[in-house]
């Protein structure tokens, strides 16, 4: 039996439970400003050419491309074939199962930037990656978004004739890349083999079984079952549905649909409709703790709800995904978004709190800065201007964390004094007290690990509004990155964004998302608006684009009608 078929008998049995959940919860319609009353989805991207606006800035786009080329060639010289380069020392790191994460994850970036030489080197290198063998246990979440998503997206881009290379990419090369994606997806399939269909924290490629992160240890010592955050359950859908379309094999999309159905069609009472607790017990589909957030562990579940609706509006669950996202946005606005107490600069900042077991937690992270762009995307698509406006406010807050620091780069996390809640976190140093008085917030964790989320939101904001301010903010961020992160063998993490830039303020690490996401989004802000239009493409949480599907295209592949 093919590994992709594992757990199929359980899938049929659980259909009865899922259908019951549909009847119970499909009537949960959010109220207020974000009501999901029927509407015709609108065009998302600003009509630059129709308005006579030149969207791109060729000189700045070229500067970002140069940074990407330097990233590539420094990695190739010092760490080729390894997951990551050590940008300060020139060493290497194996962090993603020894499958050359930097090579695979940046494939779509070299293609979209038109870096012909780099793309062909990377494309053929991927054909030699052996996905049947893994160094250590495999993380299905990271593997799906970085490896599987990159390969599937590249095939999608090639099929759409996205590239203008002087030498056409051979069809045999395209087919070999898709075969690699299929091989990896089949190896990941045991991760879906739980009673609920929710993904195991890890997959053992040697035994073809899902397992805990560390089988001998438990994240919750008093708890017998494996647990995962909502993001792990919900960040498989775009990649696997696109793979189903490209291969005609429905099971990839069916597995991903079933994996997040306990969250989408939750049978548990929700104190705040649409906002789910976490983490979840994958054996019973029960939330183990009461943590709600748009940050780490939760983020891309909410991100994918609206993107699933945009990518395949004719999917049987599409309207449910839309309504669950709208409900989450509505509840977030009511319960998690608050302004800070007055700051010396007299600016109003809207912060995204977290919630845990009755406490409103006044801490936000760089990861959560994706939310502003996500809200602007959903608000524009669904013609909900109040959502778009709040998304812009969240982006402004994230930009302020960049504007106030010494390096011009936002920190990993920050805190503030909420206007109408008791703070969980207080400043601990004199410098933090000073920041709180002057800025209305203070730096909690000062590092910068090359994350993309702030410039990602600038990308959505610029493409949706056409406002050149977002280009200005993006260029400021790029210049700050170049000054603070540039190292001998690439670009390095920053130890403390509140200290001056320099070699003594760098950490010898660089994850693959620097090239896959951060530089890609910066390039897309400055290139022509025809490149990856938001009316034609949906981006994964790792910035890999997939084509928005029309009903006719789905019917032709037999994917239309895929259900849990």
């Amino acid at each position: 039996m093919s590994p992709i078929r594992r757990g199929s008998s359980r899938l049929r049995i659980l259909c009865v439970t899922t259908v019951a959940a549909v009847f119970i919860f499909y009537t949960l319609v959010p109220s207020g400003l974000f009501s999901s009353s029927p509407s015709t989805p609108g065009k998302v991207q600003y009509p630059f050419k129709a308005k006579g606006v030149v969207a791109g800035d060729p000189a700045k786009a070229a500067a970002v491309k140069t940074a990407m080329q330097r990233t590539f060639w420094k990695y190739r010289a010092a760490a080729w074939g390894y997951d990551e380069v050590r940008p300060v020392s020139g060493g290497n790191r194996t962090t993603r199962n020894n499958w050359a994460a930097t090579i695979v994850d940046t494939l779509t970036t070299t293609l979209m930037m038109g870096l012909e030489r780099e793309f062909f080197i990377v494309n053929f290198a991927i054909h030699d990656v052996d996905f049947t063998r893994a160094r250590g246990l495999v993380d299905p979440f990271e593997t799906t978004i970085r490896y599987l998503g990159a390969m599937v997206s590249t095939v999608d881009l090639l099929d759409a004739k996205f590239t203008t290379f002087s030498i056409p990419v051979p069809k045999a090369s395209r087919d070999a890349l898709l075969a690699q994606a299929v091989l990896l997806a089949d190896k990941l399939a045991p991760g879906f083999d739980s009673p609920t269909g929710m993904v195991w924290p890890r997959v053992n490629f040697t035994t073809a079984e899902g397992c805990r992160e560390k089988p001998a240890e438990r994240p919750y010592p008093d708890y017998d079952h494996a647990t995962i955050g909502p993001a792990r359950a919900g960040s498989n859908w775009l990649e696997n549905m696109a793979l189903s379309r490209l291969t005609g094999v429905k099971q990839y999309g069916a597995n991903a649909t079933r994996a997040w159905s306990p969250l989408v069609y939750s049978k548990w009472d929700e104190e705040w409709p649409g906002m789910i607790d976490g983490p979840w017990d994958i054996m019973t589909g029960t939330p183990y703790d009461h943590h709600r957030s748009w940050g780490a562990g939760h983020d891309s579940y909410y991100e994918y709800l609206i993107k699933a609706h945009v990518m395949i509006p004719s999917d049987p669950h599409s309207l449910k995904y839309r309504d669950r996202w709208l409900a989450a946005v509505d509840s977030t606005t009511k319960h998690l978004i608050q302004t800070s107490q007055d700051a010396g600069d007299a600016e109003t900042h809207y912060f995204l709190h977290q919630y845990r077991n009755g406490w409103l937690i006044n801490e936000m992270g760089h990861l959560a800065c994706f939310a502003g762009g996500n809200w602007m995307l959903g608000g524009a698509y669904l013609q909900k201007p109040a959502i778009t406006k709040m998304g812009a406010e969240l982006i402004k807050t994230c930009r302020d964390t960049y504007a106030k620091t010494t390096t011009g780069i936002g920190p990993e996390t920050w805190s503030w004094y909420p206007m109408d809640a008791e703070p969980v976190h207080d400043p601990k140093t004199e410098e933090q007290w000073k920041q709180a008085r002057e800025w209305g917030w203070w730096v909690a964790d000062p590092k910068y690990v090359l994350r993309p989320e702030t410039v990602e939101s600038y990308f959505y904001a610029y493409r949706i509004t056409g406002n050149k301010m977002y280009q200005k903010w993006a260029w400021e961020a790029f210049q700050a990155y170049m000054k603070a992160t540039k190292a001998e063998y690439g670009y390095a993490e920053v130890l403390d964004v509140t200290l001056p830039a320099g070699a003594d303020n760098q950490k010898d690490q660089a994850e693959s998302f620097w090239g896959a996401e951060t530089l890609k989004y910066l390039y897309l802000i400055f290139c022509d608006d025809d490149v990856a239009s938001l009316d034609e493409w949906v981006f994964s949480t790792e910035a890999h684009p997939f084509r928005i599907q029309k009903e006719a295209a789905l019917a032709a592949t037999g994917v239309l009608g895929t259900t849990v």
Side-chain angles (χ1 to χ4, degrees):
M1 181 178 292
S2 169
I4 195 172
R5 301 296 179 183
R6 292 176 59 89
S8 59
S9 61
R10 289 198 186 108
L11 187 151
R12 288 192 294 271
I13 294 170
L14 286 177
C15 280
V16 176
T17 304
T18 302
V19 170
V22 172
F23 279 107
I24 295 171
F25 284 94
Y26 198 79
T27 55
L28 283 180
V29 179
S31 59
L33 286 174
F34 309 117
S35 174
S36 59
S37 56
S39 63
T40 303
K43 290 285 186 180
V44 170
Q45 187 155 297
Y46 184 80
F48 291 94
K49 291 181 175 59
K51 297 284 188 179
V53 176
V54 177
D57 187 322
K60 291 181 173 62
V64 179
K65 285 176 67 172
T66 297
M68 182 60 215
Q69 287 175 301
R70 185 174 184 274
T71 298
F72 175 86
W73 290 107
K74 291 292 185 178
Y75 163 78
R76 191 180 189 209
W80 187 251
Y82 291 93
D83 288 336
E84 300 167 9
V85 67
R86 290 191 179 275
V88 176
S89 66
N92 60 73
R93 298 177 74 213
T94 298
T95 58
R96 303 293 170 198
N97 304 109
N98 200 36
W99 293 326
T102 297
I103 292 177
V104 183
D105 208 8
T106 60
L107 183 58
T108 56
T109 303
T110 57
L111 175 60
M112 296 174 76
M113 288 186 177
L115 298 175
E116 188 165 354
R117 186 182 178 196
E118 291 83 355
F119 173 79
F120 275 103
I121 291 172
V122 168
N123 186 45
F124 287 110
I126 289 175
H127 300 164
D128 295 327
V129 176
D130 185 1
F131 288 113
T132 67
R133 298 183 179 184
R135 183 175 295 180
L137 298 176
V138 176
D139 182 338
F141 171 76
E142 297 290 358
T143 303
T144 295
I145 66 173
R146 300 196 197 212
Y147 289 111
L148 183 65
M151 293 187 288
V152 173
S153 174
T154 300
V155 174
D156 228 2
L157 290 166
L158 291 173
D159 287 354
K161 305 294 190 291
F162 194 93
T163 176
T164 56
F165 291 157
S166 60
I167 302 174
V169 178
K171 184 178 183 301
S173 180
R174 175 264 186 204
D175 292 345
L177 188 60
L178 182 59
Q180 281 283 61
V182 168
L183 171 63
L184 181 57
D186 287 352
K187 292 293 290 184
L188 288 170
F192 296 102
D193 192 14
S194 70
T196 61
M198 299 178 80
V199 184
W200 280 90
R202 295 292 184 271
V203 178
N204 186 323
F205 272 25
T206 301
T207 63
E209 293 176 316
C211 59
R212 298 176 185 274
E213 182 175 354
K214 295 180 180 179
E217 300 178 9
R218 296 174 180 172
Y220 302 95
D222 60 338
Y223 204 67
D224 291 332
H225 294 167
T227 59
I228 59 172
R232 289 184 172 275
S235 305
N236 307 280
W237 202 88
L238 300 183
E239 294 85 354
N240 281 282
M241 288 299 289
L243 183 60
S244 279
R245 170 171 49 80
L246 290 169
T247 62
V249 179
K250 297 181 182 181
Q251 195 65 39
Y252 298 115
N255 283 346
T257 299
R258 183 172 172 245
W260 69 346
S261 63
L263 312 183
V264 174
Y265 295 103
S266 175
K267 63 184 180 180
W268 304 99
D269 291 335
E270 292 177 342
E271 183 181 7
W272 306 340
M275 287 298 297
I276 57 175
D277 288 323
W280 285 65
D281 180 334
I282 70 168
M283 307 303 284
T284 64
T286 306
Y288 175 76
D289 200 5
H290 299 293
H291 182 213
R292 302 165 200 163
S293 171
W294 283 71
H298 297 247
D299 44 9
S300 47
Y301 162 71
Y302 298 108
E303 176 186 1
Y304 272 29
L305 284 174
I306 187 61
K307 288 182 174 181
H309 174 61
V310 173
M311 188 172 92
I312 311 181
S314 57
D315 182 85
H317 306 278
S318 181
L319 296 182
K320 183 64 174 180
Y321 300 148
R322 177 201 67 183
D323 289 349
R324 290 292 276 170
W325 182 82
L326 281 166
V329 169
D330 192 16
S331 290
T332 300
T333 303
K334 292 174 179 176
H335 302 289
L336 292 182
I337 293 181
Q338 285 194 19
T339 59
S340 63
Q341 294 180 12
D342 290 340
D345 60 12
E347 286 190 66
T348 299
H349 304 299
Y350 290 87
F351 293 102
L352 266 173
H353 292 70
Q354 302 175 57
Y355 170 91
R356 188 188 293 275
N357 297 314
W359 288 92
L360 204 61
I361 302 172
N362 56 319
E363 183 176 87
M364 183 175 175
H366 199 291
L367 277 168
C369 282
F370 90 94
N374 186 253
W375 285 33
M376 291 193 78
L377 171 67
Y381 185 80
L382 299 175
Q383 301 178 40
K384 307 287 185 183
I387 299 178
T388 305
K389 182 178 179 181
M390 182 53 73
E393 290 291 344
L394 294 173
I395 294 173
K396 188 174 75 172
T397 294
C398 290
R399 191 263 173 175
D400 194 64
T401 68
Y402 272 61
K404 294 287 174 43
T405 67
T406 304
T407 58
I409 301 173
E412 179 73 358
T413 60
W414 55 93
S415 293
W416 58 93
Y417 276 121
M419 186 66 71
D420 300 311
E422 185 73 19
V424 172
H425 298 291
D426 288 300
K428 294 180 175 60
T429 68
E430 182 56 40
E431 180 61 26
Q432 288 177 328
W433 281 108
K434 180 182 177 183
Q435 292 167 358
R437 289 191 301 268
E438 295 180 359
W439 302 347
W441 56 274
W442 63 91
V443 174
D445 183 345
K447 66 176 178 285
Y448 171 66
V449 299
L450 307 179
R451 292 199 189 280
E453 289 79 18
T454 296
V455 295
E456 172 186 351
S457 281
Y458 293 167
F459 161 68
Y460 283 104
Y462 179 57
R463 285 289 187 93
I464 289 167
T465 68
N467 189 335
K468 295 286 185 177
M469 173 184 70
Y470 295 110
Q471 272 192 329
K472 177 178 179 292
W473 290 356
W475 183 244
E476 290 172 352
F478 176 71
Q479 290 178 304
Y481 294 156
M482 292 299 100
K483 184 177 180 180
T485 69
K486 191 173 183 179
E488 186 174 353
Y489 298 96
Y491 300 90
E493 296 177 4
V494 178
L495 292 170
D496 190 334
V497 298
T498 68
L499 299 178
D504 59 346
N505 194 18
Q506 292 179 341
K507 187 174 182 178
D508 199 12
Q509 292 183 185
E511 291 215 43
S512 63
F513 51 65
W514 165 252
E517 299 186 73
T518 308
L519 291 178
K520 182 188 292 165
Y521 281 125
L522 284 163
Y523 174 75
L524 290 171
I525 293 169
F526 298 115
C527 70
D528 190 82
D529 58 295
D530 288 340
V531 179
S533 166
L534 291 177
D535 294 321
E536 301 294 331
W537 298 88
V538 168
F539 287 81
S540 75
T541 196
E542 193 74 4
H544 298 304
F546 303 106
R547 282 185 291 174
I548 293 175
Q549 291 305 292
K550 312 302 180 185
E551 187 169 344
L554 288 171
T557 62
V559 176
L560 185 64
T562 296
T563 60
V564 291

